Amino acid sequence: MANEQQAQAQDIQNEHAETENEQTQVDAEHANDVSVEDLQAQITKLEETLKYEKAVAANAKYEAEKSKERFEREADTAKRFALEKFAKELLDCVDNLERAIQAAGDEENPVLEGVKLTLKSLLTTLEKFEVVAVSTTNGFNADFHQAVGIDPSAEAGQIGNVLQKGYTLSGRLLRPAMVMVGQ
């Protein structure tokens, strides 16, 4: 009896294996039945995908170049204006040296000469790093001058008296000139 059951089980397995072989052959025949139109459609679809991927890659390259250029501009600007705080502090020294020269009046002595040379050296160094005094000769300009009073002897819109010089760093206002203007 056990032998009969084993024989039946083996017959069932053989039938199952034959069915699978037949199915595999049918699938292989269907695979060979792919039409030329289907292949052309696949080729067209792959070409469109390739064009899209090329466009995405080109866009990514463009964005990377633009980002690089922007970072370089920002780094250049940061380098140029990194001296801003330091230069502002040095302007106090310039003001003090100018006040010392004014306080000495017309009296010429070696100390006054040393102060003048120190001021000249400091201004030359500041100019080398693009720190330049704001011009007060072309009339009042609210972008570079701060009006702190009215000078009755000056013409309207003109600067009469400069109380404190203004300075720019690479064309950007560092400190406005404090001036009195005519009415």
Side-chain angles (χ1 to χ4, degrees), residues 14 19 23 84 110 117 122 125 139 151 182:
N14 287 339
T19 306
Q23 184 65 34
E84 189 170 358
L117 289 174
L122 183 57
T125 303
D151 188 352

Side-chain angles (χ1 to χ4, degrees), residues 72-86:
E72 287 174 355
R73 278 194 313 270
E74 289 174 358
D76 184 45
T77 302
K79 286 176 191 174
R80 195 175 324 148
F81 296 113
L83 297 175
E84 189 170 358
K85 288 181 183 179
F86 182 68

